[in-house]
Amino acid sequence: MKLKEINRTAIQSWSPAQHHPIYLATGTSAQQLDASFSTNASLEFFELDLTEPSLDMKSCGSLSSSHRYHKLVWGPYGMDGQGHPSGVLIAGGENGNVILYDSAKIMAGETDVIIAESDKHTGPVRALDVNPFQTNLVASGGNESEIYIWDMNNFGSPMTPGPKTQPVEDISCVSWNRQVQHILASASPSGRASVWDLRKNDLIIKVSDHSNRMHCSGLAWNPEVATQLVLSSEDDRMPVIQMWDLRFATSPFKILENHTRGVLAIAWSLADPELLLSCGKDNRILCWNPNTAEVLYELPTSNQWCFDIQWCPRNPAVLSAASFDGHINVHSIMGGSNQAQSQRHADQISNSFGNMDPFGTGQTLPPLQLPQTPAPPATVNPLKKPPKWIRRPVGASFAFGGKLVSLENPKPNPQQPQQPASHVVHVSQVVTETAFLKRSDQLQATLSAGSFVDFCQGKIDAAENEFEKTLWLILKVISEASTWNFLGYNKEELALKVRYVDGLITQALLTGDFEGAVELCLHDNRMADSIILAIAGGVELLQKTQKKYFTKTHSKITKLISAVVMKDWHDILKTCDLQNWKEALAAVMTYAQPEEFSALCDLLGGRLEAAEDAQLQAQACLCYICAGNVEKLVCANVLCVSIPQDLVEKVVVLRRAVEQTQRSGPTAIGILLAEKMSQYANLLASQGSLSTAITYLPDNTNQVPHLDSAPAPMNYTPPAPIMAPLGADPQAQPVPSGPPQAMGQGPHGAQVPYSGMQQQLSPPPMNPAMPKTSMEGAPGAPTGDVIQVHSSPLSQNKKITPLQSIPAEKIMKKPIPDEHLVLKTTFEGLIQKCLAVATDPQTKRKLDDANKRLEALYDKLREQTLSPAIVGGLHNIARSIEARSYTEGLSIHTHIVSNSNFSETSAFMPVLKVVLTQANRLGV
């Protein structure tokens, strides 16, 4: 597609790749005249501004010259601080001149612009090239086999690459090798090419076609393969481009044939070795893949020959072509339309007439009216293959289960350039949470072996605080069905105290001293013994004993005795001092009936959790553990802010202990624990531990956290306690017949089946309605297999059990559209990663609250009520999170908030900012 146009009969050269903006230098061409037959000559500079839709290029400087030019080359010499900020323009004149111009001075309008000049050549200088490695070296070619190497640091003393070739002839092309800095090639119209080694100062090889019809018009080195070059033929009888390899220089190894008349110029792209331009007398400009001899693109041109064609060094998709009709056209090989060109022609016609009265009618012409339904602009197709500079050199993507899929585009084999390189895809397992997986494996081993006591002892030994130690001590006691020594009551110690006191009472009884025995009992607070002995000692002694009993029992023990007799423990637990919670719990364990034990423990736990003292709040967990109430254990504040592994370990041990103690099936579980277990399963899956993760997933859709549940049924019963009170027979517990099915509580008390977290011969069915949370992290050292792309795709067939139907009375929210589900997955995954590393309880509470409040965003996505601009911005934030660029995510967040309706985003955008800020602070 044509981008720009310059109306000049001139030769051209692009500014160096290091220069910005991009300029195109033009010089009046020798041996050519324009339509005005003018003999003036000049150098001009034009800026390439692709943001301007016009075809015109802005002139940025010009210089009148007494020379006409055969060749222009613009090199970067001096741009690195040596006094030439825009480099040096080297010109080859028609009288043997080689002239160095200061480009910056010409564009600034100065007059002293010539850096150096020499007329050492014989005849016109048709060939110039700058060494790509040492930009101060310039090669030039003239008549009589003259080749000079100029050093711009010492321009007055050029050197030659070696003795002149014989027979002497004109030099039409020179070119430096693109891989080896001391190798130079030259060519002559006779079709012979010479390769020079400047280290040896000698000719090392000659290349020529044996047909003697090769009239050489162009020479270019392969940008990547040091031993390959191409020669183009201007002869109409042989309009070809020959590819030569100096390792087999007896004949060309490939010939590109598509032009119908002679080839006038060639240019090999430095950005993509598979792109070679050629222009010929058949008015065609072709873009070849030299490795396959295929024409990838043909530029639309006018009916005029193009005598010079060049790639833009800075923008690899842009090229320029100079033609004999007095135009230099700038094209793009990426395709497009010619709408701008059509508009430019219309504007030229309009400007030619203006509003004048050209025919003397006394009336001005009306404005030019273009047709209301113009023909659609012609579209120019782009290249048949993507150019190298827009291909991804590498790529990577994370997949489910912690898999990392990566690819790379290998370089072609220089020995076999025609053979396509094999593409390799690497599939690796990325593990970022090694410590987490190790602890998970230990838990799985404990579940398999049933060694809960040893597991709990290890946790006790490693506990970092007294609360953790006490909690695991309780779990150990439960696991081994031991006594309640953890509350500070030891039967052995009590027996020793009794034997101390019992000896004195025995002596009093043996001597018949009932009164002394009663006094000893009262002194030892053994009121029951004192009353029994007082009865045996007579009425008087009984009256005295009763009086002393009531005198000494004006304390809370009176209530305890009343509770023991009347069995009214609710009043004790409602009114007792919470500092004596251990005593209250011990009494409940001793005297409470099995059917009320769990509710009483929950009652005491609820009071402790509502206390203002943080230490008392923490003890509520112990009461919930004794009650076997897993759901309230999860809800307790202290455990809710723990890392997932800590919570899962406690819950799993507690559930297994309850099952073993009660001799029943899997215990009940509620929606909240199902959510925590789902998050834990996602974390395991993200680390590749899929077989373990699947055992923690809910068994049916009723346990998906975001579902609403119906009111509790009338026959609801509370969950079974962790163990019967002291004195009750655990084996006497009723065991339901048939296969066990645990029932858990929903948000409003509804029971839902659950049988996760147990060893199964086959994993429970996967639930596609569960959110697919992504747990991405910084990649570790990937390890895995190598899979060839052309092989059959890898697949893993899994049998999916049909889902259990959802009861009709359940009300389910609409699903989030598939294209937006990645938002929920990404945001929830980021929150879980932050929770996994956060140590501050306040930060964890913020993140937990954010996780809940983001449901407002997910509801809007379900209802599709957000504007496309906001949804697009949220997807951009998600992509920045995947790249761990939280600063960029915050910038996008600010842009969304400042350009949207506050009422539309106020429910979730502040929360999302909190999550991004915490993620940036925690460095997840």
Side-chain angles (χ1 to χ4, degrees):
M1 181 190 74
K2 182 188 288 189
L3 301 176
K4 300 292 180 181
E5 184 179 78
I6 303 174
N7 293 323
R8 297 288 187 277
T9 303
I11 58 173
Q12 57 178 338
S13 181
W14 287 102
S15 56
Q18 302 92 320
H19 197 280
H20 180 77
I22 300 174
Y23 291 104
L24 183 65
T26 65
T28 305
S29 178
Q31 298 181 344
Q32 292 186 46
L33 292 175
D34 58 16
S36 65
F37 293 93
S38 172
T39 58
N40 297 328
S42 65
L43 285 174
E44 289 185 85
F45 292 82
F46 297 89
E47 180 182 354
L48 178 65
D49 185 2
L50 296 180
T51 62
E52 170 60 45
S54 170
L55 288 176
D56 296 325
M57 291 182 69
K58 177 185 176 183
S59 177
C60 298
S62 63
L63 173 71
S64 297
S65 172
S66 58
H67 303 282
R68 286 177 170 251
Y69 306 102
H70 284 275
K71 186 69 175 179
L72 288 180
V73 176
W74 195 340
Y77 174 75
M79 290 183 62
D80 53 357
Q82 298 183 18
H84 306 298
S86 295
V88 175
L89 183 67
I90 304 107
E94 57 187 344
N95 298 317
N97 310 89
V98 177
I99 312 168
L100 308 184
Y101 293 98
D102 190 321
S103 306
K105 289 185 177 180
I106 295 178
M107 288 186 281
E110 300 182 19
T111 56
D112 185 18
V113 298
I114 296 179
I115 302 172
E117 181 178 4
S118 174
D119 56 358
K120 191 174 181 64
H121 272 291
T122 302
V125 179
R126 298 185 177 88
L128 288 172
D129 195 24
V130 175
N131 190 298
F133 300 94
Q134 294 179 260
T135 57
N136 59 305
L137 299 182
V138 181
S140 62
N143 290 350
E144 298 183 4
S145 299
E146 287 182 349
I147 301 175
Y148 290 123
I149 310 299
W150 306 83
D151 185 350
M152 285 188 274
N153 294 323
N154 185 19
F155 194 73
S157 303
M159 61 171 286
T160 61
K164 291 183 178 181
T165 57
Q166 298 295 330
V168 294
E169 52 189 343
D170 297 344
I171 302 298
S172 57
C173 309
V174 291
S175 179
W176 291 99
N177 191 283
R178 299 299 170 180
Q179 297 292 320
V180 184
Q181 62 181 358
H182 57 268
I183 298 299
L184 176 71
S186 62
S188 59
S190 64
R192 285 186 288 270
S194 303
V195 179
W196 309 84
D197 187 342
L198 269 65
R199 292 185 308 178
K200 301 177 181 178
N201 201 32
D202 197 8
L203 176 68
I204 57 175
I205 193 171
K206 283 188 176 182
V207 174
S208 63
D209 182 73
H210 299 295
S211 65
N212 294 324
R213 291 185 297 172
M214 184 77 177
H215 190 80
C216 187
S217 59
L219 163 70
W221 287 99
N222 189 319
E224 288 188 348
V225 184
T227 58
Q228 292 182 5
L229 54 81
V230 292
L231 299 172
S232 59
S233 172
E234 189 180 352
D235 197 321
D236 291 345
R237 299 171 299 171
M238 195 177 181
V240 298
I241 300 173
Q242 295 180 344
M243 290 191 66
W244 292 80
D245 195 313
L246 301 184
R247 295 168 293 184
F248 318 101
T250 55
S251 62
F253 74 92
K254 188 174 296 179
I255 297 179
L256 310 183
E257 299 179 279
N258 203 292
H259 283 285
T260 57
R261 298 188 64 185
V263 181
L264 296 176
I266 54 175
W268 208 328
S269 173
L270 299 181
D272 188 349
E274 294 185 349
L275 298 180
L276 176 69
L277 287 173
S278 65
C279 56
K281 301 177 186 176
D282 53 1
N283 305 329
R284 300 171 70 196
I285 299 177
L286 304 181
C287 183
W288 307 76
N289 182 344
N291 293 330
T292 62
E294 177 188 10
V295 175
L296 302 176
Y297 183 67
E298 180 171 357
L299 274 76
T301 58
S302 59
N303 295 324
Q304 289 290 333
W305 297 359
C306 288
F307 62 88
D308 186 23
I309 191 164
Q310 294 186 23
W311 293 100
C312 176
R314 188 173 182 88
N315 189 333
V318 173
L319 59 97
S320 58
S323 59
F324 285 114
D325 63 349
H327 291 86
I328 298 177
N329 295 318
V330 178
H331 298 269
S332 169
I333 61 170
M334 302 306 292
S337 68
N338 61 356
Q339 187 172 5
Q341 186 175 2
S342 302
Q343 183 64 41
R344 181 173 188 267
H345 291 162
D347 292 343
Q348 288 177 341
I349 295 173
S350 178
N351 293 335
S352 298
F353 287 95
N355 290 328
M356 298 183 302
D357 179 14
F359 305 109
T361 61
Q363 296 180 351
T364 59
L365 291 176
L368 179 62
Q369 298 290 331
L370 294 176
Q372 295 298 319
T373 56
T379 300
V380 180
N381 293 325
L383 288 169
K384 294 182 180 179
K385 73 170 190 68
K388 181 179 179 180
W389 59 83
I390 66 171
R391 295 182 220 158
R392 291 184 177 180
V394 294
S397 177
F398 278 99
F400 177 72
K403 294 294 189 297
L404 177 65
V405 183
S406 58
L407 60 92
E408 59 181 339
N409 286 317
K411 292 184 178 180
N413 186 356
Q415 307 296 333
Q416 296 176 327
Q418 300 181 18
Q419 183 177 355
S422 60
H423 298 272
V424 180
V425 173
H426 303 272
V427 179
S428 309
Q429 178 67 53
V430 178
V431 177
T432 60
E433 304 290 342
T434 54
F436 164 74
L437 284 183
K438 183 178 179 181
R439 292 181 60 181
S440 177
D441 293 340
Q442 292 174 350
L443 180 60
Q444 290 304 114
T446 301
L447 287 172
S448 301
S451 55
F452 296 101
V453 175
D454 295 338
F455 183 80
C456 293
Q457 185 61 49
K459 290 295 180 181
I460 293 170
D461 297 339
E464 297 180 355
N465 53 65
E466 194 62 30
F467 173 75
E468 277 289 304
K469 187 174 182 179
T470 304
L471 190 148
W472 281 109
L473 178 60
I474 296 176
L475 290 173
K476 178 185 176 184
V477 170
I478 296 171
S479 299
E480 62 187 4
S482 181
T483 57
W484 301 95
N485 297 340
F486 64 89
L487 292 176
Y489 299 96
N490 187 294
K491 282 187 177 181
E492 288 76 10
E493 295 179 2
L494 291 175
L496 290 174
K497 294 179 180 178
V498 170
R499 286 194 294 269
Y500 170 72
V501 178
D502 284 354
L504 297 176
I505 297 175
T506 300
Q507 293 178 21
L509 291 175
L510 291 176
T511 59
D513 185 4
F514 286 99
E515 186 173 357
V518 170
E519 288 293 333
L520 285 172
C521 290
L522 290 173
H523 179 76
D524 198 37
N525 267 341
R526 296 168 67 166
M527 297 299 178
D529 290 344
S530 65
I531 292 175
I532 292 173
L533 292 174
I535 294 174
V539 177
E540 184 180 355
L541 180 58
L542 178 59
Q543 291 177 349
K544 290 171 62 177
T545 304
Q546 288 176 340
K547 185 176 181 180
K548 292 181 179 180
Y549 171 77
F550 290 115
T551 302
K552 293 189 67 172
T553 55
H554 282 297
S555 64
K556 292 183 180 179
I557 193 65
T558 306
K559 284 190 175 183
L560 178 59
I561 295 174
S562 175
V564 171
V565 175
M566 303 301 296
K567 296 182 175 57
D568 184 13
W569 292 104
H570 286 83
D571 183 61
I572 290 291
L573 296 181
K574 288 180 180 177
T575 59
C576 70
D577 187 352
L578 290 180
Q579 297 298 332
N580 300 321
W581 69 272
K582 285 187 179 182
E583 289 78 5
L585 182 58
V588 169
M589 290 178 176
T590 304
Y591 295 104
Q593 297 298 318
E595 61 271 12
E596 63 178 355
F597 176 73
S598 178
L600 292 174
C601 290
D602 284 344
L603 174 59
L604 181 58
R607 288 194 63 201
L608 290 171
E609 190 173 0
E612 296 181 357
D613 190 342
Q615 293 183 352
L616 292 177
Q617 292 175 358
Q619 309 305 332
C621 299
L622 305 182
C623 296
Y624 296 145
I625 289 176
C626 295
N629 194 331
V630 180
E631 189 70 8
K632 285 196 175 181
L633 175 63
V634 177
C635 292
N637 290 336
V638 175
L639 290 181
C640 273
V641 298
S642 300
I643 64 175
Q645 182 67 31
D646 289 337
L647 177 61
V648 170
E649 289 172 350
K650 297 177 177 68
V651 169
V652 168
V653 173
L654 176 59
R655 284 174 53 80
R656 185 56 62 90
V658 171
E659 293 170 17
Q660 292 180 349
T661 305
Q662 301 298 330
R663 307 292 176 91
S664 62
T667 56
I669 195 165
I671 294 296
L672 180 58
L673 181 55
E675 179 182 8
K676 296 295 182 183
M677 290 303 170
S678 299
Q679 295 172 358
Y680 180 70
N682 280 326
L683 185 57
L684 284 172
S686 70
Q687 301 300 310
S689 186
L690 299 180
S691 59
T692 302
I694 200 170
T695 64
Y696 290 90
L697 288 177
D699 283 347
N700 59 71
T701 55
N702 291 340
Q703 292 169 348
V704 180
H706 58 74
L707 295 182
D708 296 331
S709 12
M714 297 298 294
N715 60 349
Y716 168 73
T717 57
I722 186 163
M723 63 177 294
L726 297 181
D729 184 4
Q731 299 187 10
Q733 297 289 333
V735 179
S737 61
Q741 182 178 14
M743 300 296 290
Q745 296 184 23
H748 306 291
Q751 292 180 327
V752 291
Y754 189 87
S755 61
M757 296 183 298
Q758 57 181 318
Q759 298 299 315
Q760 303 176 5
L761 294 177
S762 60
M766 295 291 290
N767 186 356
M770 289 295 293
K772 303 185 180 80
T773 304
S774 174
M775 294 296 295
E776 297 181 4
T783 59
D785 300 326
V786 177
I787 301 171
Q788 296 291 334
V789 166
H790 47 73
S791 64
S792 61
L794 294 180
S795 63
Q796 201 171 18
N797 298 322
K798 291 184 180 291
K799 183 177 180 181
I800 304 299
T801 307
L803 293 175
Q804 180 177 342
S805 61
I806 301 177
E809 63 270 20
K810 304 290 183 180
I811 303 175
M812 183 164 54
K813 294 182 180 180
K814 293 181 180 179
I816 297 177
D818 291 341
E819 64 270 20
H820 303 322
L821 194 58
V822 66
L823 298 177
K824 187 174 189 293
T825 302
T826 303
F827 297 156
E828 288 186 345
L830 181 61
I831 292 174
Q832 292 304 316
K833 285 194 288 185
C834 292
L835 283 171
V837 300
T839 57
D840 179 17
Q842 183 179 3
T843 300
K844 293 185 176 182
R845 282 194 292 271
K846 284 184 180 179
L847 293 169
D848 278 335
D849 180 65
N851 202 16
K852 297 173 185 175
R853 293 177 62 187
L854 279 177
E855 191 65 30
L857 167 62
Y858 308 145
D859 288 340
K860 289 182 179 290
L861 292 174
R862 292 184 182 99
E863 300 298 332
Q864 300 186 15
T865 57
L866 293 176
S867 65
I870 294 177
V871 174
L874 291 171
H875 278 278
N876 289 335
I877 292 178
R879 282 189 284 271
S880 71
I881 291 175
E882 292 174 356
R884 301 180 66 195
S885 179
Y886 304 121
T887 304
E888 180 184 355
L890 288 169
S891 300
I892 300 173
H893 179 282
T894 302
H895 178 77
I896 296 175
V897 173
S898 60
N899 292 276
S900 61
N901 190 343
F902 176 76
S903 61
E904 189 176 7
T905 61
S906 59
F908 58 88
M909 288 304 283
V911 183
L912 191 55
K913 183 176 182 180
V914 170
V915 175
L916 290 170
T917 303
Q918 294 296 335
N920 191 37
R921 182 178 68 84
L922 295 172
V924 297

